[in-house]
């Protein structure tokens, strides 16, 4: 049964969507805020884009965001070093990593996070088995990369709501 | 503040230049995507950070939305490019390819891979 209560999560969603709405209009006027709140409320109560169940844990989420930002900076630096170094030391390969079953609901988030990891990109993903196929610029770093992917998967599970297998959002 | 903004925009431009050089310098499609896919969001982020200090609330809001959209969508685009290249060109330079057997089993055609 769908809840109609104004939960903290729903309030946060409405506030964020209203801010994004005002940012799109580039003006924080009363009319924009009111229309933003109205639109955001309609969207959240209709259940579009949010399940309304489970909870988002802010600390693991901030940790995940911080890790992704650090990865982004590190990957840019690593690629820049590869570009300016005259010798090509890349040894490319595609390896598979299996994500734990409870984290498979956040596969898209993982794809985004992994692609921002140094020397790594997702070539393909199998949502049924939770297998990600990663392209590595340095295939000898396979062990470290797999460990990092599992760390990201664990963090995404801690930060975002998960559902038992077979339950749809 | 203007000096900081100028430095940030210069750094952003430099990162974008490096990404461009990477596209020309790397020999394989995969490596080129790494250059384009990693450096360009950072280049945009740093340039936007510099520009936002000069544009006020309106400009900053637009840049924040654009940056968020870019960081969220670019990795997915890069992933699709990687997949398209893998399915259409032979990956003879790859030391390991654990995806090829899965694609063959699924009946997905690849280029002239042996």
């Amino acid at each position: 049964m769908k809840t109609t209560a104004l939960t903290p999560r729903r309030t946060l969603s409405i506030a964020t969507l209203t801010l994004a709405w005002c940012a799109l209009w580039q003006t924080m006027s009363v009319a924009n805020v009111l229309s933003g709140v109205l639109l955001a409320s309609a969207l959240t109560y209709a259940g579009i884009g949010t399940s309304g169940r489970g909870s988002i844990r802010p600390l693991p989420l901030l940790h995940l965001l911080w890790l992704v930002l650090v990865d982004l900076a590190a990957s840019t630096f690593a690629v820049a070093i590869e570009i300016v170094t005259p010798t090509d030391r890349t040894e490319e390969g595609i390896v598979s990593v299996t994500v734990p079953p409870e984290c498979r609901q956040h596969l898209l988030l993982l794809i985004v996070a992994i692609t921002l990891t140094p020397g790594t990109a997702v070539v393909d993903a199998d949502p049924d088995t939770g297998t990600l196929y990663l392209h590595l610029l340095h295939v000898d770093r396979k062990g470290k990369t797999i460990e990092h992917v599992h760390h990201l998967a664990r963090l995404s599970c801690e930060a975002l709501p998960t559902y038992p297998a077979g339950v749809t959002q | 503040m203007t000096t900081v903004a100028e430095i940030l925009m210069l750094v952003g431009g430099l990162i974008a230049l490096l990404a461009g050089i990477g596209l020309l310098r790397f020999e394989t499609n995969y490596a080129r995507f790494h250059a384009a896919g990693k450096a360009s969001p950072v280049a945009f982020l740093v340039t936007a950070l510099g520009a936002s200090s000069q544009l006020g609330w309106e400009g900053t809001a637009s840049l924040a939305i654009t940056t968020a959209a870019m960081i969220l969508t670019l990795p997915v685009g890069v992933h699709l490019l990687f997949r398209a290249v893998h399915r259409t060109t032979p990956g003879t330079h790859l030391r390991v390819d654990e995806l090829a057997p899965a694609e063959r089993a699924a009946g997905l055609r690849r280029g002239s891979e042996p």
Side-chain angles (χ1 to χ4, degrees):
Chain A
M1 196 179 133
K2 211 176 267 185
T3 174
T4 52
L6 193 65
T7 57
R9 182 180 169 183
R10 187 164 275 159
T11 312
L12 186 69
S13 297
I14 292 173
T16 312
L17 286 171
T18 307
L19 263 179
W21 178 256
C22 291
L24 282 173
W25 283 100
Q26 299 188 353
T27 320
M28 196 77 153
S29 67
V30 178
N32 279 343
V33 172
L34 282 177
S35 57
V37 169
L38 204 69
L39 196 64
S41 304
L43 287 173
T44 51
Y45 278 99
I48 298 170
T50 175
S51 63
R53 287 186 293 179
S55 61
I56 295 170
R57 293 170 200 90
L59 277 180
L61 186 65
L62 283 176
H63 188 187
L64 180 68
L65 285 175
W66 171 249
L67 207 64
V68 169
L69 270 179
V70 169
D71 277 350
L72 187 58
S75 65
T76 306
F77 185 72
V79 168
I81 293 289
E82 291 290 348
I83 291 166
V84 295
T85 312
T87 8
D88 187 4
R89 289 195 195 86
T90 55
E91 283 183 322
E92 298 176 40
I94 295 174
V95 298
S96 63
V97 184
T98 306
V99 175
E102 66 274 16
C103 303
R104 288 174 195 168
Q105 293 149 25
H106 309 305
L107 219 52
L108 183 62
L109 178 76
L110 271 178
I111 289 175
V112 171
I114 290 164
T115 306
L116 300 174
T117 302
T120 316
V122 180
V123 183
D124 214 339
D126 186 349
D128 298 327
T129 58
T131 308
L132 294 172
Y133 295 94
L134 310 180
H135 177 266
L136 307 183
L137 272 180
H138 301 276
V139 82
D140 51 316
R141 293 180 196 160
K142 179 184 174 182
K144 273 187 180 175
T145 308
I146 291 176
E147 201 180 304
H148 189 69
V149 169
H150 283 147
H151 183 49
L152 285 172
R154 264 197 314 276
L155 270 178
S156 67
C157 277
E158 284 172 24
L160 301 170
T162 51
Y163 301 90
V167 176
T168 54
Q169 296 182 39
Chain B
M1 203 61 189
T2 315
T3 314
V4 176
E6 283 171 355
I7 290 171
L8 282 172
M9 285 192 271
L10 202 64
V11 170
L14 196 69
I15 297 170
L17 178 70
L18 275 174
I21 295 171
L23 279 176
L24 296 171
R25 206 180 157 271
F26 283 138
E27 287 170 8
T28 65
N29 290 328
Y30 299 107
R32 287 183 186 128
F33 292 151
H34 275 281
K38 313 268 178 180
S40 36
V42 178
F44 187 84
L45 186 70
V46 175
T47 311
L49 212 63
S52 63
S53 65
Q54 302 294 303
L55 293 173
W57 151 250
E58 293 88 356
T60 305
S62 294
L63 285 174
I65 291 272
T66 317
T67 307
M70 188 175 183
I71 288 184
L72 285 174
T73 55
L74 192 82
V76 180
V78 171
H79 153 60
L80 292 174
L81 282 171
F82 267 97
R83 193 170 69 174
V85 166
H86 190 266
R87 285 185 183 176
T88 52
T89 56
T92 45
H93 67 286
L94 295 170
R95 277 190 59 197
V96 186
D97 190 352
E98 293 177 8
L99 175 59
E103 280 189 342
R104 270 195 294 271
L108 295 163
R109 223 165 62 90
R110 298 194 65 209
S112 54
E113 198 210 17

